């Protein structure tokens, strides 16, 4: 409850305390802290990146969720690495969704194209390769979101996304993943 | 790649080696091989044969008389989907080891063969000779939750009168198992939902362990009205996502792909927020 109150205050000064709450092993406190950090937004990003907990994967997953929810360009490189290579599936899951939902309009014009291309490649890789159904599900959500964000000029990217979805619609061995692909295809 | 525990790396053990180990002298390797064959879904005839044989093993005993190898063999046989294991697993329900009976009930549920229903009911009523007292007695006389869950999954409507008293069992997780079974067995949807709603109420139980148990139960029965309550339960997102996956799969079975029911879309929208 203390974390909830602190989160609701949306004060930049509360960032260190909220980040500490990600490591309490208390899902209720962590959810409230993530919400609070997302509300604070940009000012929370440097501390989140700085304090990513390499040893506590549960805390890391919550921090990645916060970074994903904020969508700040400075988090992109961290999310790319986390989505494709973190050993904890909850971290990969949170990062994959975040890659599709970056605040693309915050990127400088000269970096937007390369940033989106990196995100696309990472998401295609995760959708194809990850062994965990929930991470592939998350990559589908990321691809779905990215497809609506990229400019209509990038015909090739869109067709890569559609081809990947088509392949998964028929051959992913998990029905929940297929279901999410159908939803993406229909929207 | 040797690791410190001295157990062979999972990828290095071959099917032939595991089958040989299961019949070998080294008890540690035998127990491990039984687990391994299940874990890696080795459903070769020979693997099934040796696992069935291991259900009657007398070599591997705990100090107080439990049967670790039989437990692992019983668990593995459920995963391998071969109905030849049904009769031997039914005999395993008569074992003096509580945990062997628990594993056998769970595996019989997975195999889906209805012939085991009568003995499951006997065991639920504590009428199987030789099972009491267990050498390593847990809190209960019988693995009631596993038996209840199996009866529900197997559609054992004959068992309803015997299941009903468990709805008020003193142990919450047994109560949940009974509600879950009754949801599956109730003849009309209105009555079934009464049992589903009992489970939803338990999502706000103060005990995190119990909230986790109810999440698993609701996922197992795919109870759609629980979707929002699952999403807002105070528990790990991973467990909520697995529960919602159960609801989603049930919805997907009810339409022809790639059509999606409004329920399926609702569940996926909730899942997206938890990723």
């Amino acid at each position: 409850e203390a974390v909830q109150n602190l989160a609701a205050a949306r004060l930049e000064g509360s960032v260190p305390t909220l980040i500490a709450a990600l490591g309490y092993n208390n899902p209720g406190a962590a959810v409230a802290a993530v919400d609070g950090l997302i509300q604070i937004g940009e000012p929370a990003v440097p501390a989140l990146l700085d304090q990513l907990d390499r040893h506590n994967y549960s805390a890391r997953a919550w921090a990645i969720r916060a970074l994903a929810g904020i969508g700040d360009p400075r988090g992109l490189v961290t999310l790319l690495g986390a989505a494709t290579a973190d050993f904890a599936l909850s971290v990969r899951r949170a990062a994959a969704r975040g890659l599709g939902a970056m605040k693309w309009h915050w990127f400088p014009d000269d970096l937007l194209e390369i940033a989106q291309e990196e995100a696309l490649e990472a998401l295609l890789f995760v959708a194809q390769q990850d062994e965990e159904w929930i991470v592939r599900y998350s990559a589908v959500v990321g691809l779905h979101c990215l497809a609506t964000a990229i400019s209509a000029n990038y015909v090739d990217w869109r067709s890569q996304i559609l081809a990947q979805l088509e392949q998964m619609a028929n051959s992913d061995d998990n029905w929940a993943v297929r279901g999410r692909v159908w939803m993406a295809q229909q929207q | 790649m040797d690791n410190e525990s001295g157990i062979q790396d999972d990828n290095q053990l071959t099917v032939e080696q595991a089958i040989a180990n299961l019949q070998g002298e080294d008890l540690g390797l035998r127990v491990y091989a039984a687990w391994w064959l299940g874990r890696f879904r080795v459903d070769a005839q020979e693997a099934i044969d040796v696992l069935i044989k291991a259900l009657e093993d007398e070599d591997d005993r705990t100090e107080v008389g439990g049967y670790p190898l039989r437990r692992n063999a019983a668990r593995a046989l459920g995963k391998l989907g071969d109905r030849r294991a049904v009769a031997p697993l039914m005999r395993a329900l008569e074992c003096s080891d509580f945990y062997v009976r628990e594993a056998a009930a769970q595996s019989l549920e997975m195999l889906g063969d209805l012939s085991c229903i009568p003995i499951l009911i006997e065991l639920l009523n504590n009428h199987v000779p030789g099972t009491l007292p267990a050498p390593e007695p847990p809190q209960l006389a019988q693995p009631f939750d596993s038996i209840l869950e199996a009866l529900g999954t197997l559609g054992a409507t004959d068992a309803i009168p015997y299941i009903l008293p468990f709805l008020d069992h003193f142990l919450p997780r047994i109560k949940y198992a009974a509600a879950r079974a009754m949801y599956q067995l109730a003849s009309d949807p209105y009555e079934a939902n009464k049992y589903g709603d009992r489970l939803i109420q338990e999502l706000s139980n103060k005990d995190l362990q119990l909230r986790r148990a109810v999440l698993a139960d609701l996922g197992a029965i795919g109870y759609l009205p629980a979707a929002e309550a699952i999403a807002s339960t105070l528990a790990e997102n991973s467990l909520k996502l697995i529960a919602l996956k159960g609801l989603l799969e049930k919805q997907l079975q009810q339409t022809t792909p790639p059509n999606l029911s409004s329920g399926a879309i609702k569940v996926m929208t909730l899942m997206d927020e938890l990723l």
Side-chain angles (χ1 to χ4, degrees):
Chain A
E1 201 174 339
V3 174
Q4 265 168 10
N5 293 336
L6 197 55
R10 300 185 195 180
L11 298 170
E12 285 182 42
S14 62
V15 168
T17 316
L18 292 175
I19 291 179
L22 303 178
Y24 289 170
N25 195 20
N26 173 340
V31 167
V34 167
D35 287 347
L37 289 163
I38 292 174
Q39 296 289 346
I40 291 167
E42 273 185 272
V45 172
L48 273 169
L49 290 172
D50 199 42
Q51 292 175 46
L52 263 193
D53 194 326
R54 278 172 189 73
H55 305 293
N56 178 343
Y57 68 84
S58 156
R60 195 163 71 246
W62 290 114
I64 292 286
R65 269 177 76 72
L67 281 174
I70 296 169
D72 188 283
R74 286 168 292 176
L76 179 70
V77 173
T78 298
L79 292 180
L80 287 168
T84 53
D86 201 285
F87 82 88
L89 75 93
S90 53
V91 175
R92 301 201 300 280
R93 178 186 84 208
R97 174 172 181 245
L99 283 178
M102 300 299 294
K103 299 284 187 314
W104 298 114
H105 56 279
W106 290 358
F107 280 82
D109 288 342
D110 57 331
L111 288 178
L112 179 63
E113 183 175 332
I114 183 96
Q116 289 189 331
E117 194 171 10
E118 291 281 337
L120 173 63
E121 279 181 15
L123 286 171
L124 290 171
F125 173 83
V126 174
Q128 285 158 9
Q129 306 275 338
D130 206 288
E131 287 181 357
E132 298 288 345
W133 72 272
I134 191 61
V135 183
R136 297 197 304 281
Y137 181 106
S138 208
V140 172
V141 174
L143 287 169
H144 182 184
C145 201
L146 186 62
T148 55
I150 53 180
S151 155
N153 297 334
Y154 295 97
V155 180
D156 179 46
W157 291 358
R158 295 184 74 87
S159 63
Q160 281 187 56
I161 294 175
L162 293 176
Q164 177 63 31
L165 293 178
E166 185 59 31
Q167 198 230 326
M168 295 173 91
N170 298 315
S171 64
D172 198 286
D173 63 11
N174 184 283
W175 285 99
V177 174
R178 286 196 194 189
R180 189 61 186 79
V181 169
W182 301 334
M183 185 160 115
Q185 288 176 322
Q186 288 161 27
Q187 287 178 4
Chain B
M1 233 176 27
D2 285 338
N3 62 23
E4 289 173 354
S5 64
I7 293 175
Q8 281 171 291
D9 187 80
D10 294 345
N11 297 320
Q12 289 198 345
L13 198 54
T14 63
V15 171
E16 295 72 26
Q17 188 65 52
I19 290 173
N21 285 356
L22 188 49
Q23 298 163 291
E25 296 288 306
D26 185 323
L27 287 176
L29 288 181
R30 289 174 70 184
V31 172
Y32 183 72
W35 171 83
W36 191 91
L37 291 169
R39 168 68 182 78
F40 294 99
R41 301 283 196 278
V42 180
D43 56 359
Q45 295 282 316
E46 207 189 345
I48 307 287
D49 291 338
V50 290
L51 284 167
I52 288 176
K53 218 169 136 213
L55 285 178
E56 297 185 342
D57 170 75
E58 290 289 348
D59 297 333
D60 189 29
R61 305 292 298 268
T62 65
E63 276 177 34
V64 285
Y67 292 95
L69 175 58
R70 293 193 192 190
R71 298 172 191 168
N72 274 9
R75 290 184 195 112
L77 285 165
K79 294 178 184 153
L80 301 183
D82 191 320
R83 296 262 174 123
R84 278 190 300 150
V86 171
L89 284 168
M90 283 164 60
R91 283 194 295 279
L93 290 176
E94 300 171 17
C95 181
S96 60
D97 183 337
F98 176 96
Y99 300 102
V100 171
R101 300 199 295 279
E102 180 177 66
Q106 289 166 354
S107 288
L108 286 164
E109 175 183 11
M110 288 189 243
L111 293 177
D113 192 298
L114 306 187
S115 63
C116 64
I117 290 174
I119 183 163
L120 284 172
I121 294 176
E122 289 292 289
L123 198 60
L124 187 69
N125 291 332
N126 225 344
H127 288 163
V128 176
T131 62
L132 294 175
E136 294 170 42
Q139 195 173 1
L140 297 166
Q142 301 294 348
F144 292 119
D145 44 352
S146 300
I147 300 169
L148 291 163
E149 286 169 14
L151 289 168
T153 301
L154 296 171
T157 46
D158 292 350
I160 289 176
Y162 310 106
I163 293 173
L164 288 171
F166 286 91
L167 288 168
D168 300 312
H169 198 273
F170 70 95
L171 273 185
R173 92 192 136 74
I174 309 277
K175 268 198 315 201
Y176 304 162
R180 165 175 161 175
M182 285 306 300
Y183 172 83
Q184 291 167 308
L185 298 174
S187 49
D188 79 285
Y190 174 77
E191 204 204 331
N193 286 3
K194 279 196 318 198
Y195 297 110
D197 292 344
R198 282 181 181 227
L199 292 173
I200 292 181
Q201 282 182 6
E202 293 295 325
L203 286 175
S204 41
N205 194 298
K206 284 193 175 124
D207 182 337
L208 174 61
Q209 286 293 359
L210 293 177
R211 296 199 297 276
R212 289 173 177 154
V214 189
L215 283 173
D217 286 325
L218 285 165
I221 60 174
Y223 187 50
L224 184 63
E228 276 98 356
I230 290 171
S232 56
T233 298
L234 288 176
E236 294 84 346
N237 284 10
S238 305
L239 298 182
K240 296 197 268 187
L241 284 163
I242 291 170
L244 288 170
K245 170 175 171 261
L247 274 55
L248 174 57
E249 284 169 344
K250 183 97 180 264
Q251 290 299 306
L252 294 177
Q253 284 164 14
Q254 291 169 2
T255 51
T256 321
N259 293 315
L260 297 168
S261 67
S262 60
I265 291 171
K266 182 170 89 174
V267 173
M268 286 189 276
T269 308
L270 291 166
M271 288 173 73
D272 287 3
E273 291 303 312
L274 296 168
L275 294 170

